[in-house]
Amino acid sequence: MKLKFNANQEFQLKAIKNVVDLFDGIGEYHTQFSLGSEISPNLPEGEDLDEDFLKDNLQFVQEEFDMEMDARDTPTMKIGVSNSLEKERGQMLEGVSNDIYEYPSFSIEMETGTGKTYVYLRTIHELNQKYGFNKYVIVVPSIAIFQGVKKSWEITQNHFKTIYGNDYCALRAYDSGRIQEVKTFATAKNIEILLITMAAFNSVSNNLYKPTDKLPGELLPYEYIQQTRPIVILDEPQNMSSQKSKDALRTLKPLLSLRYSATHKETPNLVYRLTPVEAFRRNLVKRIQVVGVEQRELGGKIPISLKKVSGTGRSAKVTLATYTSKNGIQKIEEVILKTGDDLFSKTHLEEHRGMTVHNIGSAKGEEFVEFENGTVLNAFGGDGISKPDIFRYQIRETLSQHIAHQKRVERHGVKVLSLFFIDKVKNFVGTAEGEGIIKKIFIEEFNAVKDKLDKFKDKDPEEVQASYFASYRNKPKGGEEETVYIDKEATNDKQRKAEKRQFELIMKKKEELLSFDNEVCFIFAHSALKEGWDNPNVFQICTLNQTVSATKKRQEIGRGLRLAVNQKGERLHDDQVNILTVIANESYESFANTLQQEYIEQEGEAPPKPKPKRAAAKRQDKFYTSEDFKDFWSKLTLKSNYKINVDSDILLAEIKEKFKDKKNNTFPVPKVVISKGNFVITTFTYRIKSFEEDNTAIVSIVKEDTKGNRINLGGDLFDGGMKISEGDDLERLLKEPKLRGFKVNSIEPNKSNPDIEFKNGFKVSKFKPETYNVSDNRDVQSKDSKSGLTKFPVFNVVNKLEKATSLTKETCFKILKAVPHDEQPKLFRNPEGFTNKLIEITKNALAIHVAENIEFELSQDMKQDDLEELFPKKVNYVQTEIVDSTEHGLYDATQKDSDIEEVFVSSKLETDNNVEFFFKFPSKYKIDFPKIIGNYNPDWGVIRKDNNGVKVQLVRETKGTREIENLRFVHEINKVKVAMKHFKALGIDYDVIKGDEPKWYTNKQH
């Protein structure tokens, strides 16, 4: 099969034209043919590209591109106009030259799967045809991309000959063993392309900088390249951004560089942009759906999985397999642990409190991490997780999706491929004792379903799968020769050569895999295929590895984004064919949110984080320096000692009662949950059409998603616009939940750059449309299964319960025995989850028991609080979160945490003439209660005169109810009950109030 290429794709032609137009007006330079070894450069010695000329052309290209994007209503694609021409300037590689060199760089941003390599190879032909430029160096960061570019060159040669009629174009894959080819590259008069990895010239020890008999004469190998004044093309420049790499690039003395990537870190002199979201909208890549496979119901505990142990055994990388929230986006967390580390200090999650690393190491070749509480993690799970179970469900789901999609696309002449990224090579290839767990599961699952597809019925699993793992033979001292598989990036020549062999193999088979004549449909890889290789007919990507980085997720998905081809090598543009399914080892929501956030960030700068207006609250020293405040505070700093009387028989009876509550206290059985949904990003584009005299504005809001749906939310009013005023809530007005937070904060038409600002900090100016991107998880479907899950060895539950609660071993044993008989077998299915639930139930009962039975007595010890730190002269609060308190407040403005508090301050404390003064307890003020109850921060301190004129010291908790048992959380009830006893011992009137009752100062306890 030969892949066919479309020479007329508008988005590719635009990317090429924008680069070519940078040099418009310089004319054409052709070298004269001569005998001998005269070097043929891009420009004659002494001639340079004028900086002002390049800057003017750059600005023209950028302006023209942005105008076109405005016309298309795709402002996220705009690139802006540069004020100056950015240059790469600095020293060349140390040890080669001390000279300073500079050259301009131009950036081209294109989403993976849209033909980035094709674009720059064709750009080479265009630049040669129009200007005579004939010397190019393509620099790549890895062997994988090196082999990928070679393959792209091979399969596009005939295509380019058809367009340009040029038989004199050579690509030379740099090999230090054939160093003499740099001279051929330098002296040839036709188009010459040198393909080289960064590792081949980023060190003075590289052969490129050494004299050699293969190149007699005065010039060293790198000097031949220098004298061609090459145009350097950087493929994935974000992976070559170190200072050493930049120095090496300058040593080539480029005329200029062209930077091509989908994930730039920086974009100097940006001339073209095709964003990921736009690529989806235009159907230039496959649509994505995500199937998430995760293990749930582990007793409320955050499961942890071991990723790897360092070679020295001093540290381990672990992944939190459920998710914590960060900036509103859920992400998997990854931490490095060392012996003695407290996991809680790393994650700040209550579930990890008390989990201290006891030992890290390897036993019988298996890595492990052991915690002091008895939890052990290893390659196949631990802490309630069974990796083999997750593997099985992912492989089963991949096979199901593969078979269904092959049936769907068979009539189009499309062969379906599935790609598996595995966690460890050993888990596939196995050991001398047998097959690896992943291969074993694949064989079992394939044999179970192969009858569902005619082409699989008579096939063995070995016939339909291929694995690509770089390996080499190694013979340790005194041992037998063995095969070593590379689980991570190559670090020496032996490993790099092994990688090269493996990449050459998969690249050669790229087109062969597309044919029905080739039986291989399932491809297993470790890290080898994360970049450089892709295949248009990869329709399923199964991530059996744990990918935390959103960028790595995009790299892996990029292997299957390209549009599918049929048996004739023709691209298909059918939406029902071009669907890429990612089978991830995490929930759909987690995977999709992380991925979508990465795509959204690639759209350009996100709207600035809200910067709410702040106002200063000033301390009123007439209250602060008063004797009443000093006396009150001296009492508040007194400590009270407590005694806890635990009656184990009563406590046991209370725990047994809790066991009867099946709704809230059922012991968990782990289950695998499979969730499925479409990958969709919705974009809202805001434009200001006009400002009106009544301080309103007419705006246009267009909603568009990556499914191709587009709607003008304002309807036809005012020519596609809608009228908005300050205070308007777009979520409510347009009945659009995704616009939550878009409440108009201000409309300012009289500024030099008139704008509208929303409460969430998003701002739209008169002269610049803005976009807002949001994820879409509406179509998520879930199913779960409890079958086939592994049983785990049971550890000492009594010891863990004793350590967590400080109860006696005898009491803990009685509690375990009291677990209902129908719940006890769950201990063997899920020991971690069972134990965590048992601890939770016991702690809740114990906290209630302590709150009821604790006793306080006054102490003369005082808390050592810094009063000036607790009550500084001035405090800055968010302006919308304060209420005026000039009459009686310790500060002239007081922070409110709720509407209840605002009512309490404004209509009670400030209007009650019997109130002398009041203050809100600072958050740093904490009262030490037993650990099972937790430290306590009260709400309000008040000095008020009673009906007899006697000043009474009051502490009030505003909870919206006077009934303690009606509080929402049990731990709140416990704290309030303990606080009542504490303040009673201090002789301070304490109560819980609604906050709006007339006699809030009357204690209902009296």
Side-chain angles (χ1 to χ4, degrees):
M1 180 193 293
K2 296 291 183 186
L3 291 173
K4 296 177 183 176
F5 296 91
N6 181 352
N8 300 306
Q9 296 202 78
E10 180 273 334
F11 72 97
Q12 293 179 340
L13 295 177
K14 183 64 178 173
I16 296 164
K17 182 180 184 297
N18 280 13
V19 172
V20 172
D21 285 353
L22 289 170
F23 313 102
D24 188 37
I26 68 167
E28 189 176 355
Y29 166 66
H30 285 293
T31 57
Q32 299 300 311
F33 177 78
S34 63
L35 295 172
S37 61
E38 184 182 350
I39 289 172
S40 170
N42 276 322
L43 281 183
E45 188 177 354
E47 287 191 26
D48 288 302
L49 295 170
D50 181 74
E51 186 172 332
D52 289 336
F53 164 80
L54 280 179
K55 185 185 76 173
D56 290 344
N57 276 1
L58 170 66
Q59 291 174 337
F60 176 80
V61 167
Q62 291 172 330
E63 286 173 359
E64 186 182 60
F65 184 77
D66 283 358
M67 286 171 62
E68 187 177 327
M69 293 308 105
D70 270 337
R72 291 188 176 200
D73 204 18
T74 54
T76 54
M77 291 270 284
K78 290 174 69 172
I79 56 183
V81 178
S82 301
N83 294 323
S84 60
L85 183 72
E86 292 185 62
K87 287 191 172 184
E88 178 58 53
R89 177 181 170 82
Q91 192 169 324
M92 297 189 205
L93 197 62
E94 187 177 357
V96 177
S97 172
N98 293 322
D99 292 347
I100 299 295
Y101 189 78
E102 67 176 19
Y103 62 92
S105 279
F106 300 93
S107 302
I108 300 90
E109 197 168 273
M110 293 183 69
E111 171 58 346
T112 301
T114 59
K116 170 170 57 73
T117 310
Y118 173 93
V119 164
Y120 69 64
L121 290 175
R122 185 165 173 181
T123 300
I124 288 172
H125 287 82
E126 287 284 338
L127 289 172
N128 175 259
Q129 186 179 71
K130 190 161 186 180
Y131 308 117
F133 295 147
N134 67 342
K135 296 298 164 68
Y136 301 85
V137 178
I138 299 173
V139 183
V140 298
S142 68
I143 295 169
I145 298 177
F146 183 92
Q147 295 294 340
V149 175
K150 266 181 69 177
K151 185 65 178 179
S152 295
W153 171 256
E154 291 168 8
I155 63 179
T156 55
Q157 275 195 84
N158 289 333
H159 170 75
F160 290 142
K161 283 178 185 177
T162 303
I163 300 171
Y164 299 101
N166 187 350
D167 287 323
Y168 303 102
C169 187
L171 180 135
R172 302 186 187 279
Y174 175 79
D175 184 338
S176 61
R178 299 196 308 273
I179 198 75
Q180 65 273 19
E181 287 199 359
V182 297
K183 182 176 180 180
T184 309
F185 163 80
T187 57
K189 302 299 185 284
N190 49 285
I191 300 176
E192 285 281 330
I193 305 168
L194 183 68
L195 174 63
I196 189 168
T197 62
M198 176 56 73
F201 71 103
N202 67 352
S203 170
V204 70
S205 63
N206 291 130
N207 287 347
L208 196 66
Y209 302 113
K210 296 176 180 178
T212 171
D213 293 340
K214 295 178 181 179
L215 278 176
E218 297 180 359
L219 297 182
L220 293 173
Y222 80 95
E223 291 175 318
Y224 279 100
I225 300 173
Q226 284 184 339
Q227 292 198 15
T228 67
R229 310 187 68 192
I231 292 175
V232 173
I233 292 171
L234 302 179
D235 192 328
E236 308 293 356
Q238 72 279 3
N239 296 327
M240 300 179 284
S241 58
S242 69
Q243 191 59 52
K244 189 177 179 183
S245 295
K246 290 181 177 181
D247 293 349
L249 288 168
R250 283 190 287 268
T251 308
L252 299 181
K253 288 193 174 180
L255 182 65
L256 58 101
S257 73
L258 302 174
R259 303 159 53 90
Y260 289 82
S261 180
T263 53
H264 280 107
K265 288 181 181 175
E266 50 190 9
T267 53
N269 302 321
L270 186 60
V271 296
Y272 181 80
R273 168 179 280 159
L274 176 61
T275 65
V277 174
E278 191 62 23
F280 284 116
R281 285 201 197 101
R282 294 196 198 179
N283 294 322
L284 303 178
V285 292
K286 291 192 185 95
R287 299 197 181 281
I288 299 175
Q289 67 178 9
V290 179
V291 176
V293 180
E294 61 170 339
Q295 200 163 335
R296 289 187 191 164
E297 297 206 1
L298 298 166
K301 192 173 187 300
I302 302 290
I304 314 164
S305 65
L306 174 61
K307 195 161 186 183
K308 66 177 181 180
V309 169
S310 69
T312 59
R314 293 179 180 176
S315 65
K317 185 181 287 186
V318 299
T319 304
L320 307 184
T322 53
Y323 323 105
T324 55
S325 181
K326 189 176 182 181
N327 297 330
I329 299 296
Q330 295 215 318
K331 289 189 176 182
I332 300 174
E333 299 292 337
E334 192 177 81
V335 297
I336 302 294
L337 294 179
K338 296 179 181 178
T339 303
D341 277 354
D342 172 21
L343 190 59
F344 176 76
S345 68
K346 300 274 187 178
T347 67
H348 305 292
L349 294 169
E350 281 300 318
E351 293 86 347
H352 296 150
R353 194 180 288 279
M355 289 190 70
T356 302
V357 180
H358 175 64
N359 193 14
I360 297 172
S362 176
K364 296 181 180 178
E366 290 296 336
E367 298 172 343
F368 68 87
V369 174
E370 182 183 3
F371 293 88
E372 287 183 358
N373 66 357
T375 299
V376 177
L377 310 177
N378 58 38
F380 296 125
D383 194 40
I385 283 183
S386 167
K387 277 191 181 179
D389 288 332
I390 301 297
F391 290 162
R392 184 173 297 280
Y393 279 91
Q394 284 186 270
I395 291 169
R396 183 180 296 169
E397 193 66 29
T398 303
L399 285 163
S400 172
Q401 294 286 337
H402 183 110
I403 290 170
H405 202 61
Q406 184 62 74
K407 288 178 178 178
R408 194 156 44 234
V409 302
E410 191 96 36
R411 62 189 178 89
H412 296 282
V414 174
K415 177 189 171 185
V416 172
L417 300 174
S418 292
L419 174 61
F420 296 82
F421 285 107
I422 71 169
D423 62 338
K424 292 179 184 296
V425 175
K426 187 170 69 172
N427 283 346
F428 188 86
V429 300
T431 61
E433 286 75 42
E435 291 162 337
I437 185 68
I438 290 175
K439 188 172 184 179
K440 182 173 180 290
I441 292 171
F442 174 77
I443 290 170
E444 293 169 357
E445 293 297 324
F446 177 81
N447 285 331
V449 299
K450 68 179 186 179
D451 288 346
K452 293 182 179 180
L453 190 68
D454 288 342
K455 66 178 293 185
F456 287 162
K457 281 182 179 178
D458 300 322
K459 296 288 187 293
D460 291 328
E462 291 286 357
E463 295 178 84
V464 297
Q465 66 83 21
S467 56
Y468 295 92
F469 308 124
S471 65
Y472 59 92
R473 302 293 291 173
N474 186 54
K475 186 175 183 180
K477 286 183 179 179
E480 295 183 5
E481 191 176 54
E482 60 184 0
T483 300
V484 177
Y485 289 95
I486 303 171
D487 255 345
K488 50 191 175 184
E489 288 188 19
T491 56
N492 57 50
D493 283 342
K494 189 178 283 189
Q495 292 178 354
R496 279 189 280 270
K497 286 177 181 176
E499 277 192 344
K500 186 177 179 182
R501 288 193 300 271
Q502 200 61 42
F503 291 133
E504 285 175 344
L505 178 64
I506 183 68
M507 291 301 173
K508 284 176 182 175
K509 296 200 172 187
K510 181 173 180 176
E511 291 149 290
E512 190 181 318
L513 285 168
L514 294 167
S515 170
F516 283 129
D517 294 335
N518 185 294
E519 295 175 342
V520 172
C521 300
F522 303 97
I523 301 163
F524 291 83
H526 184 253
S527 55
L529 305 186
K530 73 177 182 182
E531 56 185 22
W533 180 91
D534 59 19
N535 193 296
N537 285 11
V538 168
F539 289 96
Q540 287 74 229
I541 293 178
C542 180
T543 59
L544 300 172
N545 57 338
Q546 193 97 48
T547 302
V548 176
S549 161
T551 301
K552 286 182 180 176
K553 278 183 169 67
R554 281 190 64 189
Q555 283 181 336
E556 291 175 351
I557 288 172
R559 303 316 100 214
L561 277 180
R562 204 172 292 277
L563 297 179
V565 300
N566 60 20
Q567 294 300 290
K568 297 176 183 177
E570 299 165 336
R571 297 274 174 203
L572 300 178
H573 297 272
D574 188 324
D575 280 356
Q576 298 308 305
V577 172
N578 288 306
I579 300 170
L580 174 65
T581 302
V582 181
I583 298 90
N585 53 358
E586 56 184 288
S587 74
Y588 164 83
E589 289 86 352
S590 171
F591 187 94
N593 281 339
T594 306
L595 183 63
Q596 285 170 340
Q597 185 65 14
E598 169 74 9
Y599 277 124
I600 286 167
E601 287 170 0
Q602 289 298 312
E603 290 290 275
E605 290 186 18
K609 291 279 175 64
K611 290 185 179 178
K613 296 176 182 176
R614 303 187 78 85
K618 296 175 184 175
R619 191 178 68 196
Q620 304 202 89
D621 283 349
K622 61 182 179 181
F623 301 131
Y624 179 72
T625 59
S626 68
E627 290 301 318
D628 288 333
F629 179 75
K630 290 177 182 176
D631 179 57
F632 193 11
W633 196 257
S634 64
K635 196 177 287 188
L636 288 167
T637 57
L638 284 175
K639 294 181 179 179
S640 56
N641 297 326
Y642 55 80
K643 272 195 310 185
I644 303 173
N645 302 306
V646 176
D647 187 314
S648 59
D649 292 335
I650 295 175
L651 176 62
L652 188 61
E654 291 168 346
I655 291 173
K656 285 181 178 178
E657 280 300 309
K658 286 195 171 290
F659 286 151
K660 294 178 183 178
D661 179 7
K662 295 287 187 182
K663 183 178 178 181
N664 296 311
N665 291 324
T666 299
F667 288 84
V669 173
K671 64 182 179 183
V672 171
V673 178
I674 301 171
S675 51
K676 180 179 177 181
N678 294 317
F679 173 93
V680 181
I681 297 175
T682 302
T683 301
F684 296 87
T685 303
Y686 296 77
R687 278 188 173 82
I688 298 175
K689 288 184 166 286
S690 64
F691 289 99
E692 305 297 290
E693 292 182 359
D694 58 352
N695 206 38
T696 60
I698 307 298
V699 299
S700 163
I701 304 174
V702 176
K703 175 185 176 183
E704 188 173 14
D705 64 34
T706 47
K707 290 181 179 178
N709 301 314
R710 181 184 172 95
I711 183 172
N712 190 331
L713 293 177
D716 295 325
L717 179 66
F718 299 104
D719 188 28
M722 62 179 292
K723 191 172 187 175
I724 59 172
S725 310
E726 287 189 6
D728 280 351
D729 187 337
L730 297 187
E731 177 191 17
R732 184 177 55 80
L733 285 176
L734 297 171
K735 298 181 174 56
E736 175 52 73
K738 290 186 177 60
L739 293 180
R740 177 167 293 177
F742 279 88
K743 191 172 184 178
V744 182
N745 189 45
S746 65
I747 297 176
E748 301 194 31
N750 299 318
K751 295 163 60 174
S752 58
N753 186 15
D755 62 33
I756 298 171
E757 185 175 0
F758 296 90
K759 291 278 188 184
N760 60 4
F762 190 86
K763 188 182 290 187
V764 185
S765 74
K766 170 67 175 169
F767 307 113
K768 186 172 181 284
E770 294 288 351
T771 60
Y772 168 74
N773 294 291
V774 64
S775 59
D776 187 342
N777 294 335
R778 288 176 304 171
D779 303 327
V780 181
Q781 301 171 346
S782 293
K783 60 181 179 179
D784 60 76
S785 171
K786 296 181 181 179
S787 62
L789 290 170
T790 307
K791 290 185 178 181
F792 290 88
V794 179
F795 43 77
N796 194 321
V797 178
V798 172
N799 281 357
K800 290 193 78 169
L801 185 59
E802 179 189 14
K803 192 166 186 176
T805 61
S806 299
L807 294 170
T808 65
K809 192 180 293 291
E810 182 183 3
T811 300
C812 290
F813 184 68
K814 288 179 180 177
I815 292 170
L816 179 59
K817 282 183 67 177
V819 173
H821 291 294
D822 60 330
E823 297 279 7
Q824 288 177 1
K826 295 178 181 178
L827 170 61
F828 301 95
R829 296 290 303 279
N830 186 13
E832 285 285 348
F834 181 96
T835 306
N836 293 328
K837 191 65 181 179
L838 184 62
I839 290 170
E840 177 193 320
I841 294 169
T842 303
K843 276 188 168 183
N844 286 342
L846 181 59
I848 293 169
H849 191 80
V850 167
E852 295 291 346
N853 294 284
I854 194 170
E855 295 177 3
F856 285 90
E857 60 181 27
L858 195 61
S859 166
Q860 294 307 308
D861 293 336
M862 302 183 75
K863 286 163 58 72
Q864 300 301 312
D865 290 325
D866 185 333
L867 201 55
E868 282 292 324
E869 184 182 346
L870 291 175
F871 297 100
K873 287 192 174 184
K874 192 166 71 172
V875 183
N876 282 319
Y877 293 124
V878 175
Q879 192 168 336
T880 56
E881 296 175 3
I882 58 175
V883 57
D884 180 76
S885 56
T886 50
E887 286 296 317
H888 302 131
L890 189 67
Y891 287 86
D892 60 8
T894 300
Q895 186 177 27
K896 56 169 183 173
D897 293 332
S898 63
D899 292 339
I900 293 169
E901 292 192 345
E902 183 174 15
V903 169
F904 182 54
V905 172
S906 59
S907 68
K908 303 301 174 189
L909 297 175
E910 281 289 274
T911 59
D912 186 343
N913 290 328
N914 283 342
V915 171
E916 290 287 307
F917 64 86
F918 70 92
F919 57 87
K920 190 170 190 179
F921 281 94
S923 58
K924 290 181 180 178
Y925 176 82
K926 296 283 194 301
I927 303 172
D928 296 328
F929 285 163
K931 187 178 178 182
I932 195 79
I933 302 296
N935 292 337
Y936 178 61
N937 173 237
D939 281 346
W940 306 97
V942 185
I943 298 291
R944 184 184 183 278
K945 290 183 290 189
D946 65 13
N947 293 335
N948 300 316
V950 177
K951 294 176 182 177
V952 182
Q953 297 169 340
L954 308 172
V955 171
R956 290 294 181 264
E957 191 77 33
T958 43
K959 291 291 188 184
T961 178
R962 288 185 76 96
E963 302 303 320
I964 296 172
E965 298 300 332
N966 289 341
L967 294 178
R968 187 176 175 187
F969 299 110
V970 174
H971 73 267
E972 281 188 294
I973 297 172
N974 293 335
K975 280 190 179 183
V976 166
K977 286 181 176 179
V978 174
M980 283 181 168
K981 297 179 180 181
H982 166 78
F983 283 112
K984 185 175 182 181
L986 294 182
I988 294 174
D989 187 314
Y990 172 89
D991 205 1
V992 175
I993 60 173
K994 283 179 67 179
D996 61 356
E997 58 267 68
K999 293 189 177 181
W1000 57 271
Y1001 45 81
T1002 302
N1003 194 316
K1004 65 178 180 292
Q1005 306 300 321
H1006 295 166

